[in-house]
Amino acid sequence: MDCNCVSDLLLTPPVPTLWTPGIAFPDWAYKPESSPGSRQIQLWHFILELLQKEEYQGVIAWQGDYGEFVIKDPDEVARLWGIRKCKPHMNYDKLSRALRYYYNKRILHKTKGKRFTYKFNFSKVVLVNYPLLDMASSPFLLAQNHFNGGTATPDCSPVTPEALQSLFPRLPESGRGPSLFERSAGAPGPDGDKLRLDTFPFLSSGAPCYSKPPSLLGPYPRNPAFDYPWGFNPYLPGAFSLNNCPKLPPGSLYSSSFYPNPLQSSLSQLPHPFSSLLPPGDTTGAERGQTGGTNGQPPRLCIPPYPGSVPLGRTELGNGGTGVGDRERGETNTSIIGGGLGLGLGLGLGLGLGGLGVGNGGGGRQSPSERRKGVKQDPESDSELEITDLSDCSSENENEPDFPLRKEPGVGGRSHLLEAKSGGLGGVLPPLSSLPPPVSPHPLKSLGPLTPPPSSLPPSLSPSLSIVDRQRETETLKLAHS
DNA sequence: GCCGGAAACT
DNA sequence: AGTTTCCGGC
């Protein structure tokens, strides 16, 4: 029997579902071209997913520093992961091994001295998620530099609303609070909207812009405020569902209602350093702990007051950065945008969101005991087997027992929990009380699906294209169009 | 508990 | 590639 995990649901209907407005992780993020199974959820995705859900707070939760989380119930997390991956024998030991592989990738690192505590390197996560982002011209980068306190170079042109618009042509309009756009009279709709720059205070900067940001050239001193400048927004409703192992109606997993308006949520949850720059009146309703949820759900984010604004600037970071070298270990929290960009531009954004191996099932895989000479008993024996909603999640090996199941916290109620009306974001935001320390959300993340690659587009416009190629192509197309 | 090598699996 | 599985070592 096959394991109907996420991949199955994601693979058919190819793109549309994935491009549902508001989806946190666009289709391309899953690197469909990389391998047949590239859409399978990755562990860190899963971790983030758990982290953002209140029902799993007792299992795993943000704690401590930015991006730091504690696995309160390792066994349970492992079990859930096992369910997701259809690996009945998953345990914390194995899961943690997988987590350790993230050390090298700079996605995670261990918080030394704290049991079961890890920390996300959000910028890496972001980079991984935004391979298409033109970092070279992205004003966001500038912001980063600004926040890093770099020095200016003369050749910076301002970021115009038009520029932003071109960068993020599909920025949706937020449903509540200050709109991200100002409608231009003549041209309603996305194309007629102008991005409200005041909504992106962090984009502006009178400060310096760099032809080559220092932060890209190497590690920079740790500054808590900038640890995760483009952090993955742990508050964002997940792009994943815990229970996609069982057959569920696709809608329950990826319907637009499942996701909040990412733009709104992201922007309203500006990264810590940026959020502090928000104009007092410009934080969206979601902020300041208002009850603002459109669905009556409490807002889940808290944006600090706005100390002032900064002028705009644009940078020309043509060549991104240098590669990042060494792995980050321990508490040293370096990297971030610098390293990330370097990796992204230099290495072609190596990490993909997608895992490999389509759901799968099948396979004539040897059992561990067969594989190894040593006969080792699986600690998770069949003794406590139970079956719940894993019915469709067969083990990869017919001989293997099913999952030892415990109750799944809120699995059933999650979808409604996460429900958010399109355009509204409050609904999915976690309650302030459950907020981890302000972690930087990633504004771009929501902008992500800059444009779902229309099926009509030439194949070359596929996500697999390099940033540069893509850019060129896009421009070419534009020209052709005009 | 945590680490990371090694090999296998998808 | 991203785990999964196992394992020896600290």
Side-chain angles (χ1 to χ4, degrees), chain A residues 255-288:
Chain A
S255 73
S256 56
S257 67
F258 184 87
Y259 305 96
N261 178 328
L263 178 67
Q264 188 175 9
S265 50
S266 284
L267 292 175
S268 60
Q269 300 173 65
L270 293 174
H272 192 50
F274 301 147
S275 59
S276 65
L277 296 177
L278 275 176
D282 241 13
T283 48
T284 66
E287 129 58 24
R288 316 218 168 171

PDB file of all heavy atoms in Angstrom, chain A residues 255-288:
ATOM      1  N   SER A 255      -5.942  24.506   0.969  1.00  0.00           N
ATOM      2  CA  SER A 255      -6.909  25.479   0.492  1.00  0.00           C
ATOM      3  C   SER A 255      -6.463  26.862   0.894  1.00  0.00           C
ATOM      4  O   SER A 255      -5.699  27.032   1.817  1.00  0.00           O
ATOM      5  CB  SER A 255      -8.260  25.204   1.113  1.00  0.00           C
ATOM      6  OG  SER A 255      -8.241  25.590   2.457  1.00  0.00           O
ATOM      7  N   SER A 256      -6.935  27.798   0.162  1.00  0.00           N
ATOM      8  CA  SER A 256      -6.505  29.143   0.449  1.00  0.00           C
ATOM      9  C   SER A 256      -6.892  29.539   1.857  1.00  0.00           C
ATOM     10  O   SER A 256      -6.262  30.341   2.493  1.00  0.00           O
ATOM     11  CB  SER A 256      -7.144  30.111  -0.535  1.00  0.00           C
ATOM     12  OG  SER A 256      -8.540  29.970  -0.488  1.00  0.00           O
ATOM     13  N   SER A 257      -7.908  28.934   2.314  1.00  0.00           N
ATOM     14  CA  SER A 257      -8.349  29.328   3.640  1.00  0.00           C
ATOM     15  C   SER A 257      -7.407  28.818   4.708  1.00  0.00           C
ATOM     16  O   SER A 257      -7.405  29.262   5.830  1.00  0.00           O
ATOM     17  CB  SER A 257      -9.736  28.771   3.910  1.00  0.00           C
ATOM     18  OG  SER A 257      -9.698  27.366   3.990  1.00  0.00           O
ATOM     19  N   PHE A 258      -6.617  27.916   4.281  1.00  0.00           N
ATOM     20  CA  PHE A 258      -5.677  27.348   5.243  1.00  0.00           C
ATOM     21  C   PHE A 258      -4.594  28.361   5.557  1.00  0.00           C
ATOM     22  O   PHE A 258      -4.034  28.381   6.618  1.00  0.00           O
ATOM     23  CB  PHE A 258      -5.057  26.089   4.644  1.00  0.00           C
ATOM     24  CG  PHE A 258      -4.144  25.383   5.608  1.00  0.00           C
ATOM     25  CD1 PHE A 258      -4.661  24.464   6.501  1.00  0.00           C
ATOM     26  CD2 PHE A 258      -2.789  25.664   5.626  1.00  0.00           C
ATOM     27  CE1 PHE A 258      -3.818  23.810   7.391  1.00  0.00           C
ATOM     28  CE2 PHE A 258      -1.951  25.005   6.522  1.00  0.00           C
ATOM     29  CZ  PHE A 258      -2.461  24.080   7.394  1.00  0.00           C
ATOM     30  N   TYR A 259      -4.326  29.152   4.585  1.00  0.00           N
ATOM     31  CA  TYR A 259      -3.258  30.112   4.759  1.00  0.00           C
ATOM     32  C   TYR A 259      -3.799  31.505   4.905  1.00  0.00           C
ATOM     33  O   TYR A 259      -4.775  31.870   4.316  1.00  0.00           O
ATOM     34  CB  TYR A 259      -2.313  30.057   3.559  1.00  0.00           C
ATOM     35  CG  TYR A 259      -1.809  28.675   3.354  1.00  0.00           C
ATOM     36  CD1 TYR A 259      -2.412  27.819   2.443  1.00  0.00           C
ATOM     37  CD2 TYR A 259      -0.771  28.194   4.133  1.00  0.00           C
ATOM     38  CE1 TYR A 259      -1.963  26.530   2.287  1.00  0.00           C
ATOM     39  CE2 TYR A 259      -0.323  26.910   3.981  1.00  0.00           C
ATOM     40  CZ  TYR A 259      -0.914  26.073   3.058  1.00  0.00           C
ATOM     41  OH  TYR A 259      -0.468  24.814   2.920  1.00  0.00           O
ATOM     42  N   PRO A 260      -3.081  32.252   5.616  1.00  0.00           N
ATOM     43  CA  PRO A 260      -3.480  33.627   5.786  1.00  0.00           C
ATOM     44  C   PRO A 260      -2.914  34.366   4.613  1.00  0.00           C
ATOM     45  O   PRO A 260      -2.143  33.822   3.856  1.00  0.00           O
ATOM     46  CB  PRO A 260      -2.711  34.025   7.026  1.00  0.00           C
ATOM     47  CG  PRO A 260      -1.455  33.243   6.900  1.00  0.00           C
ATOM     48  CD  PRO A 260      -1.850  31.946   6.242  1.00  0.00           C
ATOM     49  N   ASN A 261      -3.291  35.551   4.516  1.00  0.00           N
ATOM     50  CA  ASN A 261      -2.678  36.368   3.504  1.00  0.00           C
ATOM     51  C   ASN A 261      -1.244  36.526   3.949  1.00  0.00           C
ATOM     52  O   ASN A 261      -0.938  37.194   4.889  1.00  0.00           O
ATOM     53  CB  ASN A 261      -3.357  37.726   3.471  1.00  0.00           C
ATOM     54  CG  ASN A 261      -2.709  38.616   2.469  1.00  0.00           C
ATOM     55  OD1 ASN A 261      -1.510  38.516   2.238  1.00  0.00           O
ATOM     56  ND2 ASN A 261      -3.491  39.469   1.872  1.00  0.00           N
ATOM     57  N   PRO A 262      -0.383  35.911   3.252  1.00  0.00           N
ATOM     58  CA  PRO A 262       1.005  35.891   3.701  1.00  0.00           C
ATOM     59  C   PRO A 262       1.611  37.265   3.701  1.00  0.00           C
ATOM     60  O   PRO A 262       2.411  37.600   4.549  1.00  0.00           O
ATOM     61  CB  PRO A 262       1.694  35.004   2.676  1.00  0.00           C
ATOM     62  CG  PRO A 262       0.824  35.033   1.481  1.00  0.00           C
ATOM     63  CD  PRO A 262      -0.564  35.292   1.960  1.00  0.00           C
ATOM     64  N   LEU A 263       1.244  37.999   2.743  1.00  0.00           N
ATOM     65  CA  LEU A 263       1.855  39.307   2.665  1.00  0.00           C
ATOM     66  C   LEU A 263       1.490  40.086   3.902  1.00  0.00           C
ATOM     67  O   LEU A 263       2.315  40.658   4.577  1.00  0.00           O
ATOM     68  CB  LEU A 263       1.352  40.053   1.447  1.00  0.00           C
ATOM     69  CG  LEU A 263       1.949  41.453   1.382  1.00  0.00           C
ATOM     70  CD1 LEU A 263       3.441  41.335   1.121  1.00  0.00           C
ATOM     71  CD2 LEU A 263       1.275  42.280   0.333  1.00  0.00           C
ATOM     72  N   GLN A 264       0.257  40.069   4.128  1.00  0.00           N
ATOM     73  CA  GLN A 264      -0.195  40.839   5.256  1.00  0.00           C
ATOM     74  C   GLN A 264       0.429  40.337   6.532  1.00  0.00           C
ATOM     75  O   GLN A 264       0.910  41.098   7.355  1.00  0.00           O
ATOM     76  CB  GLN A 264      -1.698  40.748   5.363  1.00  0.00           C
ATOM     77  CG  GLN A 264      -2.211  41.705   6.419  1.00  0.00           C
ATOM     78  CD  GLN A 264      -3.699  41.696   6.448  1.00  0.00           C
ATOM     79  OE1 GLN A 264      -4.319  40.856   5.798  1.00  0.00           O
ATOM     80  NE2 GLN A 264      -4.282  42.599   7.176  1.00  0.00           N
ATOM     81  N   SER A 265       0.400  39.072   6.653  1.00  0.00           N
ATOM     82  CA  SER A 265       0.936  38.562   7.899  1.00  0.00           C
ATOM     83  C   SER A 265       2.416  38.825   8.017  1.00  0.00           C
ATOM     84  O   SER A 265       2.910  39.184   9.053  1.00  0.00           O
ATOM     85  CB  SER A 265       0.648  37.075   8.029  1.00  0.00           C
ATOM     86  OG  SER A 265       1.030  36.402   6.866  1.00  0.00           O
ATOM     87  N   SER A 266       3.058  38.668   6.918  1.00  0.00           N
ATOM     88  CA  SER A 266       4.493  38.871   6.995  1.00  0.00           C
ATOM     89  C   SER A 266       4.840  40.312   7.247  1.00  0.00           C
ATOM     90  O   SER A 266       5.667  40.631   8.060  1.00  0.00           O
ATOM     91  CB  SER A 266       5.148  38.433   5.692  1.00  0.00           C
ATOM     92  OG  SER A 266       5.213  37.049   5.635  1.00  0.00           O
ATOM     93  N   LEU A 267       4.197  41.122   6.531  1.00  0.00           N
ATOM     94  CA  LEU A 267       4.547  42.515   6.665  1.00  0.00           C
ATOM     95  C   LEU A 267       4.103  43.083   7.985  1.00  0.00           C
ATOM     96  O   LEU A 267       4.688  44.007   8.503  1.00  0.00           O
ATOM     97  CB  LEU A 267       3.930  43.303   5.521  1.00  0.00           C
ATOM     98  CG  LEU A 267       4.563  42.956   4.181  1.00  0.00           C
ATOM     99  CD1 LEU A 267       3.837  43.683   3.075  1.00  0.00           C
ATOM    100  CD2 LEU A 267       6.037  43.290   4.179  1.00  0.00           C
ATOM    101  N   SER A 268       3.088  42.510   8.468  1.00  0.00           N
ATOM    102  CA  SER A 268       2.628  43.027   9.730  1.00  0.00           C
ATOM    103  C   SER A 268       3.466  42.458  10.849  1.00  0.00           C
ATOM    104  O   SER A 268       3.426  42.909  11.962  1.00  0.00           O
ATOM    105  CB  SER A 268       1.172  42.655   9.931  1.00  0.00           C
ATOM    106  OG  SER A 268       1.023  41.267   9.923  1.00  0.00           O
ATOM    107  N   GLN A 269       4.191  41.476  10.470  1.00  0.00           N
ATOM    108  CA  GLN A 269       5.046  40.882  11.483  1.00  0.00           C
ATOM    109  C   GLN A 269       6.473  41.125  11.099  1.00  0.00           C
ATOM    110  O   GLN A 269       7.254  40.218  10.918  1.00  0.00           O
ATOM    111  CB  GLN A 269       4.796  39.385  11.558  1.00  0.00           C
ATOM    112  CG  GLN A 269       3.376  39.070  11.898  1.00  0.00           C
ATOM    113  CD  GLN A 269       3.136  37.590  11.784  1.00  0.00           C
ATOM    114  OE1 GLN A 269       3.699  36.808  12.530  1.00  0.00           O
ATOM    115  NE2 GLN A 269       2.323  37.195  10.849  1.00  0.00           N
ATOM    116  N   LEU A 270       6.735  42.338  10.907  1.00  0.00           N
ATOM    117  CA  LEU A 270       8.069  42.668  10.463  1.00  0.00           C
ATOM    118  C   LEU A 270       9.116  42.101  11.389  1.00  0.00           C
ATOM    119  O   LEU A 270       8.903  41.957  12.564  1.00  0.00           O
ATOM    120  CB  LEU A 270       8.208  44.188  10.398  1.00  0.00           C
ATOM    121  CG  LEU A 270       7.329  44.795   9.327  1.00  0.00           C
ATOM    122  CD1 LEU A 270       7.393  46.293   9.415  1.00  0.00           C
ATOM    123  CD2 LEU A 270       7.746  44.306   7.971  1.00  0.00           C
ATOM    124  N   PRO A 271      10.206  41.813  10.787  1.00  0.00           N
ATOM    125  CA  PRO A 271      11.283  41.278  11.590  1.00  0.00           C
ATOM    126  C   PRO A 271      11.601  42.233  12.701  1.00  0.00           C
ATOM    127  O   PRO A 271      11.433  43.440  12.554  1.00  0.00           O
ATOM    128  CB  PRO A 271      12.449  41.204  10.619  1.00  0.00           C
ATOM    129  CG  PRO A 271      11.895  41.433   9.271  1.00  0.00           C
ATOM    130  CD  PRO A 271      10.522  41.989   9.409  1.00  0.00           C
ATOM    131  N   HIS A 272      12.054  41.708  13.687  1.00  0.00           N
ATOM    132  CA  HIS A 272      12.322  42.516  14.843  1.00  0.00           C
ATOM    133  C   HIS A 272      12.992  43.832  14.527  1.00  0.00           C
ATOM    134  O   HIS A 272      12.513  44.888  14.870  1.00  0.00           O
ATOM    135  CB  HIS A 272      13.172  41.719  15.804  1.00  0.00           C
ATOM    136  CG  HIS A 272      13.251  42.368  17.122  1.00  0.00           C
ATOM    137  ND1 HIS A 272      12.144  42.797  17.808  1.00  0.00           N
ATOM    138  CD2 HIS A 272      14.313  42.691  17.887  1.00  0.00           C
ATOM    139  CE1 HIS A 272      12.515  43.330  18.953  1.00  0.00           C
ATOM    140  NE2 HIS A 272      13.824  43.273  19.027  1.00  0.00           N
ATOM    141  N   PRO A 273      14.083  43.783  13.872  1.00  0.00           N
ATOM    142  CA  PRO A 273      14.775  45.028  13.600  1.00  0.00           C
ATOM    143  C   PRO A 273      13.943  45.966  12.773  1.00  0.00           C
ATOM    144  O   PRO A 273      14.009  47.168  12.918  1.00  0.00           O
ATOM    145  CB  PRO A 273      16.012  44.588  12.840  1.00  0.00           C
ATOM    146  CG  PRO A 273      15.750  43.203  12.389  1.00  0.00           C
ATOM    147  CD  PRO A 273      14.732  42.634  13.323  1.00  0.00           C
ATOM    148  N   PHE A 274      13.161  45.410  11.934  1.00  0.00           N
ATOM    149  CA  PHE A 274      12.358  46.243  11.059  1.00  0.00           C
ATOM    150  C   PHE A 274      11.100  46.696  11.749  1.00  0.00           C
ATOM    151  O   PHE A 274      10.651  47.806  11.602  1.00  0.00           O
ATOM    152  CB  PHE A 274      11.973  45.462   9.815  1.00  0.00           C
ATOM    153  CG  PHE A 274      13.163  45.001   9.072  1.00  0.00           C
ATOM    154  CD1 PHE A 274      13.142  43.810   8.397  1.00  0.00           C
ATOM    155  CD2 PHE A 274      14.321  45.764   9.070  1.00  0.00           C
ATOM    156  CE1 PHE A 274      14.254  43.399   7.701  1.00  0.00           C
ATOM    157  CE2 PHE A 274      15.432  45.351   8.371  1.00  0.00           C
ATOM    158  CZ  PHE A 274      15.399  44.155   7.689  1.00  0.00           C
ATOM    159  N   SER A 275      10.575  45.827  12.440  1.00  0.00           N
ATOM    160  CA  SER A 275       9.319  46.160  13.071  1.00  0.00           C
ATOM    161  C   SER A 275       9.500  47.348  13.983  1.00  0.00           C
ATOM    162  O   SER A 275       8.612  48.142  14.192  1.00  0.00           O
ATOM    163  CB  SER A 275       8.799  44.962  13.856  1.00  0.00           C
ATOM    164  OG  SER A 275       9.736  44.578  14.829  1.00  0.00           O
ATOM    165  N   SER A 276      10.670  47.480  14.472  1.00  0.00           N
ATOM    166  CA  SER A 276      10.890  48.587  15.379  1.00  0.00           C
ATOM    167  C   SER A 276      10.902  49.892  14.623  1.00  0.00           C
ATOM    168  O   SER A 276      10.881  50.956  15.185  1.00  0.00           O
ATOM    169  CB  SER A 276      12.212  48.395  16.106  1.00  0.00           C
ATOM    170  OG  SER A 276      13.269  48.451  15.180  1.00  0.00           O
ATOM    171  N   LEU A 277      10.917  49.774  13.342  1.00  0.00           N
ATOM    172  CA  LEU A 277      10.934  50.988  12.533  1.00  0.00           C
ATOM    173  C   LEU A 277       9.563  51.334  12.005  1.00  0.00           C
ATOM    174  O   LEU A 277       9.384  52.315  11.330  1.00  0.00           O
ATOM    175  CB  LEU A 277      11.875  50.785  11.348  1.00  0.00           C
ATOM    176  CG  LEU A 277      13.333  50.580  11.759  1.00  0.00           C
ATOM    177  CD1 LEU A 277      14.179  50.304  10.534  1.00  0.00           C
ATOM    178  CD2 LEU A 277      13.836  51.782  12.511  1.00  0.00           C
ATOM    179  N   LEU A 278       8.660  50.524  12.321  1.00  0.00           N
ATOM    180  CA  LEU A 278       7.326  50.782  11.825  1.00  0.00           C
ATOM    181  C   LEU A 278       6.778  52.069  12.377  1.00  0.00           C
ATOM    182  O   LEU A 278       6.896  52.354  13.548  1.00  0.00           O
ATOM    183  CB  LEU A 278       6.385  49.652  12.232  1.00  0.00           C
ATOM    184  CG  LEU A 278       6.374  48.448  11.320  1.00  0.00           C
ATOM    185  CD1 LEU A 278       5.470  47.406  11.917  1.00  0.00           C
ATOM    186  CD2 LEU A 278       5.905  48.850   9.945  1.00  0.00           C
ATOM    187  N   PRO A 279       6.170  52.774  11.503  1.00  0.00           N
ATOM    188  CA  PRO A 279       5.526  53.992  11.954  1.00  0.00           C
ATOM    189  C   PRO A 279       4.452  53.615  12.950  1.00  0.00           C
ATOM    190  O   PRO A 279       3.817  52.592  12.789  1.00  0.00           O
ATOM    191  CB  PRO A 279       4.903  54.560  10.685  1.00  0.00           C
ATOM    192  CG  PRO A 279       5.425  53.768   9.566  1.00  0.00           C
ATOM    193  CD  PRO A 279       6.055  52.531  10.110  1.00  0.00           C
ATOM    194  N   PRO A 280       4.262  54.427  13.923  1.00  0.00           N
ATOM    195  CA  PRO A 280       3.313  54.110  14.981  1.00  0.00           C
ATOM    196  C   PRO A 280       1.961  53.754  14.434  1.00  0.00           C
ATOM    197  O   PRO A 280       1.309  52.866  14.910  1.00  0.00           O
ATOM    198  CB  PRO A 280       3.231  55.396  15.780  1.00  0.00           C
ATOM    199  CG  PRO A 280       4.374  56.232  15.336  1.00  0.00           C
ATOM    200  CD  PRO A 280       4.859  55.725  14.022  1.00  0.00           C
ATOM    201  N   GLY A 281       1.558  54.435  13.441  1.00  0.00           N
ATOM    202  CA  GLY A 281       0.226  54.171  12.948  1.00  0.00           C
ATOM    203  C   GLY A 281       0.203  53.134  11.857  1.00  0.00           C
ATOM    204  O   GLY A 281      -0.824  52.822  11.316  1.00  0.00           O
ATOM    205  N   ASP A 282       1.311  52.648  11.568  1.00  0.00           N
ATOM    206  CA  ASP A 282       1.352  51.773  10.425  1.00  0.00           C
ATOM    207  C   ASP A 282       1.454  50.298  10.704  1.00  0.00           C
ATOM    208  O   ASP A 282       1.617  49.495   9.826  1.00  0.00           O
ATOM    209  CB  ASP A 282       2.512  52.165   9.525  1.00  0.00           C
ATOM    210  CG  ASP A 282       1.984  52.558   8.181  1.00  0.00           C
ATOM    211  OD1 ASP A 282       0.772  52.738   8.075  1.00  0.00           O
ATOM    212  OD2 ASP A 282       2.750  52.649   7.249  1.00  0.00           O
ATOM    213  N   THR A 283       1.388  49.994  11.898  1.00  0.00           N
ATOM    214  CA  THR A 283       1.426  48.575  12.138  1.00  0.00           C
ATOM    215  C   THR A 283       0.034  48.102  11.843  1.00  0.00           C
ATOM    216  O   THR A 283      -0.928  48.760  12.136  1.00  0.00           O
ATOM    217  CB  THR A 283       1.747  48.287  13.594  1.00  0.00           C
ATOM    218  OG1 THR A 283       0.917  49.102  14.380  1.00  0.00           O
ATOM    219  CG2 THR A 283       3.185  48.577  13.874  1.00  0.00           C
ATOM    220  N   THR A 284      -0.049  47.001  11.290  1.00  0.00           N
ATOM    221  CA  THR A 284      -1.361  46.543  10.918  1.00  0.00           C
ATOM    222  C   THR A 284      -2.142  46.170  12.145  1.00  0.00           C
ATOM    223  O   THR A 284      -1.615  46.055  13.218  1.00  0.00           O
ATOM    224  CB  THR A 284      -1.272  45.326  10.016  1.00  0.00           C
ATOM    225  OG1 THR A 284      -0.729  44.277  10.784  1.00  0.00           O
ATOM    226  CG2 THR A 284      -0.429  45.599   8.833  1.00  0.00           C
ATOM    227  N   GLY A 285      -3.346  45.980  11.908  1.00  0.00           N
ATOM    228  CA  GLY A 285      -4.222  45.689  13.016  1.00  0.00           C
ATOM    229  C   GLY A 285      -3.790  44.467  13.784  1.00  0.00           C
ATOM    230  O   GLY A 285      -4.074  44.325  14.959  1.00  0.00           O
ATOM    231  N   ALA A 286      -3.116  43.640  13.080  1.00  0.00           N
ATOM    232  CA  ALA A 286      -2.740  42.401  13.737  1.00  0.00           C
ATOM    233  C   ALA A 286      -1.820  42.685  14.883  1.00  0.00           C
ATOM    234  O   ALA A 286      -1.667  41.909  15.793  1.00  0.00           O
ATOM    235  CB  ALA A 286      -2.042  41.505  12.741  1.00  0.00           C
ATOM    236  N   GLU A 287      -1.191  43.792  14.793  1.00  0.00           N
ATOM    237  CA  GLU A 287      -0.176  44.045  15.781  1.00  0.00           C
ATOM    238  C   GLU A 287      -0.760  44.565  17.061  1.00  0.00           C
ATOM    239  O   GLU A 287      -1.926  44.631  17.273  1.00  0.00           O
ATOM    240  CB  GLU A 287       0.775  44.996  15.114  1.00  0.00           C
ATOM    241  CG  GLU A 287       1.129  46.187  15.819  1.00  0.00           C
ATOM    242  CD  GLU A 287       1.730  46.019  17.124  1.00  0.00           C
ATOM    243  OE1 GLU A 287       2.299  45.033  17.432  1.00  0.00           O
ATOM    244  OE2 GLU A 287       1.655  46.876  17.881  1.00  0.00           O
ATOM    245  N   ARG A 288       0.081  44.852  17.913  1.00  0.00           N
ATOM    246  CA  ARG A 288      -0.305  45.386  19.199  1.00  0.00           C
ATOM    247  C   ARG A 288      -1.372  44.588  19.848  1.00  0.00           C
ATOM    248  O   ARG A 288      -2.270  45.122  20.445  1.00  0.00           O
ATOM    249  CB  ARG A 288      -0.839  46.754  19.032  1.00  0.00           C
ATOM    250  CG  ARG A 288       0.095  47.415  18.094  1.00  0.00           C
ATOM    251  CD  ARG A 288       0.373  48.727  18.355  1.00  0.00           C
ATOM    252  NE  ARG A 288       1.480  49.021  17.509  1.00  0.00           N
ATOM    253  CZ  ARG A 288       1.954  50.176  17.311  1.00  0.00           C
ATOM    254  NH1 ARG A 288       1.499  51.116  17.901  1.00  0.00           N
ATOM    255  NH2 ARG A 288       2.944  50.370  16.588  1.00  0.00           N
TER     256      ARG A 288
END
